[in-house]
Amino acid sequence: MAPVPQHYRLDTTLPAAVADYFARERRTLDAYLDLVPDRFGPGAGDPTVGPVHAVPWFYVPDLTGWRGITLARLLAADRDCPCFRLSALARDGVATLWRVLDESADGPVVVHVELRGDTGPIPGTLREALRRGYDQPPQSADDADLVSGDPANALVVFTDTRPSKRLTSPLPDATEPVSGAVLSYAPRDSMTPEQPDGTTVLDAPPALQDRTERLERLLAASLDGVGAPDARDRFVESAVETLAITHSTIGKQDLLFDVSPRVALKHGHRLDRLGVDEALSGLRTDILAQVPQSPGSADLRQTLSDLLSE
């Protein structure tokens, strides 16, 4: 079978500061993976649909954007294996999924899937592949070979842009002893699968204050050597405050809003050229641009603008 196209592969080389930022999540996911058997028995799965092979998966509804994809990359880096990002909107996404599953025959692979409203064909095809034990031929005429994978090697990280919409079928059924885990910053019933029997719900990540402290350490470590120490400290302190204000304010309106550290890192690396004030101005402009623009958000946008300009 043809290899997975290069544009689906993600670089798993990340700075130590980023790995430290996700230390708690990584420990939690590792604890879950310790429960996953090396092989799944042929009788594993949902008894209502017959023998279903299982796959280790994580559903991380509050980790969209930078956090979701970075956690998947770290998971792959910890296992020294390839990481792929699949989209249900891609024309060749389903054919690529079969290629990824085929690679799982040679060792672990990590797959990141961003669910967007309608879950699309990728999760559905994954479920079908697991039900059939990977014996279904790919749907592309160019890949006529049968898939030969190992379900226990395919680690799938689902993130979700609309977790408040109840999920009915995107995730494989939980199997023995466990095959799925839910990790959420704001756990609520609508974020879990319709049939959560056997699903492992992981401990929630740190509270907002603890996450703020982690963010400060991440920015300080990642920007080490950028700009004068006093300018860098001033930028980091103000950037963390800006992100915390935005996240907490938006959170009261929309729990799905996820402020990314990436925008702070982008402007922080421009300190030498722009100075602190200009870097912070750009940061705040970019953050406001992420606020959902709708008729009902005008007051919220104005409130944030006033808070961030102080």
Side-chain angles (χ1 to χ4, degrees), residues 49-134:
V49 295
V52 181
H53 288 278
V55 63
W57 56 261
F58 309 103
Y59 176 46
V60 197
D62 289 313
L63 283 177
T64 59
W66 181 86
R67 287 192 178 94
I69 199 169
T70 301
L71 188 60
R73 293 167 64 193
L74 286 169
L75 194 64
D78 288 342
R79 282 149 187 78
D80 192 23
C81 72
C83 184
F84 306 100
R85 186 180 195 184
L86 298 186
S87 170
L89 303 178
R91 179 176 299 178
D92 60 344
V94 170
T96 301
L97 173 61
W98 288 108
R99 297 177 183 179
V100 170
L101 296 179
D102 193 60
E103 283 206 17
S104 70
D106 299 324
V109 295
V110 174
V111 186
H112 175 255
V113 181
E114 182 76 10
L115 304 177
R116 300 178 182 274
D118 180 8
T119 56
I122 296 292
T125 302
L126 177 62
R127 287 173 60 87
E128 188 67 15
L130 299 175
R131 289 182 61 180
R132 296 173 178 265
Y134 292 3

Side-chain angles (χ1 to χ4, degrees), residues 45-279:
D46 185 343
T48 64
V49 295
V52 181
H53 288 278
V55 63
W57 56 261
F58 309 103
Y59 176 46
V60 197
D62 289 313
L63 283 177
T64 59
W66 181 86
R67 287 192 178 94
I69 199 169
T70 301
L71 188 60
R73 293 167 64 193
L74 286 169
L75 194 64
D78 288 342
R79 282 149 187 78
D80 192 23
C81 72
C83 184
F84 306 100
R85 186 180 195 184
L86 298 186
S87 170
L89 303 178
R91 179 176 299 178
D92 60 344
V94 170
T96 301
L97 173 61
W98 288 108
R99 297 177 183 179
V100 170
L101 296 179
D102 193 60
E103 283 206 17
S104 70
D106 299 324
V109 295
V110 174
V111 186
H112 175 255
V113 181
E114 182 76 10
L115 304 177
R116 300 178 182 274
D118 180 8
T119 56
I122 296 292
T125 302
L126 177 62
R127 287 173 60 87
E128 188 67 15
L130 299 175
R131 289 182 61 180
R132 296 173 178 265
Y134 292 3
D135 62 356
Q136 180 172 327
Q139 300 181 12
S140 169
D142 296 332
D143 296 323
D145 298 333
L146 294 179
V147 175
S148 176
D150 182 350
N153 277 338
L155 311 181
V156 184
V157 179
F158 292 101
T159 54
D160 196 348
T161 57
R162 295 178 59 190
S164 60
K165 177 181 179 182
R166 181 171 290 277
L167 299 176
T168 56
S169 62
L171 308 180
D173 294 307
T175 57
E176 58 179 10
V178 289
S179 70
V182 177
L183 174 67
S184 172
Y185 281 143
R188 46 201 184 275
D189 291 341
S190 61
M191 286 184 175
T192 59
E194 285 281 359
Q195 299 175 337
D197 295 341
T199 300
T200 302
V201 180
L202 304 179
D203 294 336
L208 179 60
Q209 181 174 350
D210 294 330
R211 291 172 59 197
T212 300
E213 293 175 357
R214 288 200 302 169
L215 174 63
E216 184 171 0
R217 292 195 296 270
L218 168 67
L219 294 180
S222 299
L223 298 176
D224 187 26
V226 178
D230 56 342
R232 184 170 63 251
D233 291 345
R234 180 184 160 202
F235 172 84
V236 169
E237 181 178 355
S238 185
V240 169
E241 181 182 14
T242 296
L243 291 169
I245 287 174
T246 308
H247 192 100
S248 60
T249 304
I250 292 292
K252 297 176 183 178
Q253 305 289 329
D254 183 359
L255 288 172
L256 314 187
F257 189 85
D258 182 19
V259 178
S260 170
R262 180 172 56 186
V263 66
L265 290 172
K266 180 183 78 171
H267 290 283
H269 284 295
R270 303 165 67 193
L271 273 173
D272 286 326
R273 181 161 53 91
L274 298 181
V276 177
D277 292 336
E278 287 297 321

